[in-house]
Amino acid sequence: MRKLALLLLLTFSQHVCFSADSDGMPIIAYGGVPYWQTSEENFRVFSECGFNVSLYSYPSLDFLVKACRQADKYGVKVLGSCPEMTSAPYSTARILRSENGFFGYVMQDEPTDPEIRIRQQEIESLRTIDTTHVFYINLMPYYNEKWVRPSLKVATYGDYLRSASATSCQQISFDHYPVTTEGIRPTWYHNLEMIRNESLASGKPFWGFVLSVPHDVPFTAGTYYPTPTLASLRLQVYSNLAYGAQAIQYFTYWTPPTGDYHYHDAPISFEGRKTATYSLVQQMNRELKTVATLFYGSRVVAIQHSGFFIPEGTTRLTKMPTNIQSLTTTGYSGAVVSEIEKDGHRYLAIVNKSHTQSTKVRIKALNDVPRHLTKSLEPKALRSSYTVPPGDVLLFRLR
């Protein structure tokens, strides 16, 4: 799925008629406020949904600058592209580097391996003038190795990740939409493992995705992405955070043209009205902004999986986290068990891997140090068991 091409389709269909701030995690809308809807009002509604970065492909530098200035009035920044980035990179970078509402340059979505090298040459031209903003390439997901060579033009997915991390992009961004009507895609957690490993090897943070626009998959009978629920949003957000993601991106905020994918019911409709998904994403982002203070700037020191089914490429829970004597979960899906370090403290995040059923967590500490943390990060006395709703996260401070 070529999302930048899709955004350009949105542009032309209408044309024919590091962190967003110094303290917070970027919460990015891929397909944010379109150029033809750039206004203070629409960026106000965008900000109220809990986003702080709007990603969009603009038909000209003038439209991009206008969006930056409107967005800045509501504390929002723009991660964008325009034709002048390649036709006149030096003058374009001189203009954009001084815009307060500018977050960075979108170079390409889902490139092949050879295309990554071409984008790096273009980045270097822009970096001659502007070294302060983000350069963004978003990578294709991992489905299986047989798919890699013809789709990515490279021998292995690991080679693909290494090519991307060798660029001047400050992060590794990838999309993988796991929730389908046929269940959770089997290679999603394997993909997260590979992304995390490359992030550790390169020293670059990774950015994960959440799907917020239901749609079909052309030419794949019976498979499509369902309307989001709070549970499906939580599963994607908290799994990404448990693996170490340092930004959360949503595809999309504004509903794209229907096309072959039959897009519908993103937070904002194609016509510009709020949908039922808006309030779900808004609620998710309120949660995210609170728990992000724990995850943002943290380091994942161990990640394991519990449950009957252990996804390919992941590790079964056998080693207990710091100061924990025993930990078990119920159900077939089980949980992601992530031990995190930040500011000299150890934390534990347990994510229910089912977006349809609750799971029970039974936990016993070795001493009286561990504390349960609410989502507002308020410490509570440890209990012996907890029920975790579908897709949700359970947090502890271990020391």
Side-chain angles (χ1 to χ4, degrees), residues 4-273:
L4 276 182
L6 183 149
L7 291 177
L8 287 172
L9 175 60
L10 177 57
T11 296
F12 294 131
S13 66
Q14 290 295 319
H15 191 58
V16 172
C17 38
F18 261 133
S19 65
D21 55 60
S22 60
D23 301 313
M25 176 179 286
I27 305 176
I28 302 167
Y30 197 116
V33 178
Y35 88 91
W36 47 272
Q37 291 282 1
T38 296
S39 68
E40 288 190 37
E41 173 64 14
N42 280 334
F43 275 111
R44 179 187 66 80
V45 174
F46 179 86
S47 175
E48 289 175 353
C49 197
F51 293 102
N52 51 28
V53 179
S54 176
L55 188 156
Y56 200 81
S57 179
Y58 293 85
S60 73
L61 176 60
D62 287 344
F63 280 113
L64 175 51
V65 170
K66 177 184 177 182
C68 290
R69 293 176 181 177
Q70 297 283 15
D72 185 51
K73 295 176 182 178
Y74 289 93
V76 173
K77 294 188 182 295
V78 175
L79 180 56
S81 67
C82 63
E84 290 88 341
M85 282 167 47
T86 52
S87 64
Y90 304 116
S91 59
T92 298
R94 286 190 186 95
I95 292 170
L96 291 175
R97 69 181 178 181
S98 61
E99 288 294 330
N100 290 332
F102 184 59
F103 188 69
Y105 304 84
V106 176
M107 304 307 299
Q108 188 171 344
D109 181 69
E110 298 184 339
T112 63
D113 190 70
E115 288 172 331
I116 289 174
R117 290 167 173 77
I118 297 171
R119 299 293 84 79
Q120 172 61 14
Q121 295 172 8
E122 296 168 353
I123 290 172
E124 288 307 310
S125 294
L126 294 163
R127 285 183 76 245
T128 301
I129 305 300
D130 187 354
T131 59
T132 62
H133 289 100
V134 164
F135 294 94
Y136 175 94
I137 293 173
N138 181 58
L139 303 177
M140 288 190 189
Y142 174 81
Y143 294 129
N144 55 66
E145 285 298 339
K146 291 182 180 179
W147 172 85
V148 168
R149 189 180 293 274
S151 300
L152 305 184
K153 314 301 181 189
V154 68
T156 70
Y157 192 77
D159 292 336
Y160 180 64
L161 295 183
R162 283 185 285 275
S163 290
S165 65
T167 68
S168 299
C169 292
Q170 298 93 327
Q171 68 292 314
I172 302 169
S173 174
F174 85 112
D175 58 51
H176 194 139
Y177 307 126
V179 182
T180 76
T181 52
E182 294 184 345
I184 302 299
R185 286 189 178 274
T187 58
W188 179 41
Y189 286 109
H190 191 183
N191 202 166
L192 278 167
E193 293 276 347
M194 291 187 283
I195 293 290
R196 175 175 177 261
N197 288 340
E198 184 58 34
S199 175
L200 291 172
S202 66
K204 294 185 176 184
F206 84 85
W207 294 0
F209 260 90
V210 177
L211 185 65
S212 52
V213 57
H215 62 278
D216 297 341
V217 178
F219 318 118
T220 307
T223 299
Y224 68 96
Y225 297 105
T227 300
T229 64
L230 184 58
S232 70
L233 295 176
R234 281 173 168 164
L235 174 65
Q236 294 170 86
V237 167
Y238 292 132
S239 291
N240 274 294
L241 292 180
Y243 267 86
Q246 295 296 291
I248 296 295
Q249 308 172 78
Y250 289 77
F251 181 77
T252 61
Y253 171 73
W254 207 281
T255 303
T258 299
D260 292 337
Y261 290 92
H262 302 126
Y263 294 101
H264 61 95
D265 293 306
I268 300 294
S269 70
F270 179 73
E271 295 77 18
R273 296 186 293 271

Side-chain angles (χ1 to χ4, degrees), residues 230-235 237-239 241 280 283-295 347-352 371-380 386-397:
L230 184 58
S232 70
L233 295 176
R234 281 173 168 164
L235 174 65
V237 167
Y238 292 132
S239 291
L241 292 180
L280 291 178
Q283 181 178 347
M284 183 70 256
N285 283 341
R286 284 182 185 138
E287 288 186 21
L288 172 57
K289 285 186 174 182
T290 301
V291 300
T293 60
L294 188 156
F295 290 97
Y347 299 93
L348 183 65
I350 302 174
V351 181
N352 180 359
R371 289 290 183 269
H372 170 228
L373 296 179
T374 66
K375 283 187 183 173
S376 62
L377 305 185
E378 179 185 1
K380 299 283 188 179
Y386 298 85
T387 298
V388 186
D392 214 344
V393 68
L394 183 63
L395 299 171
F396 299 92
R397 187 181 66 213

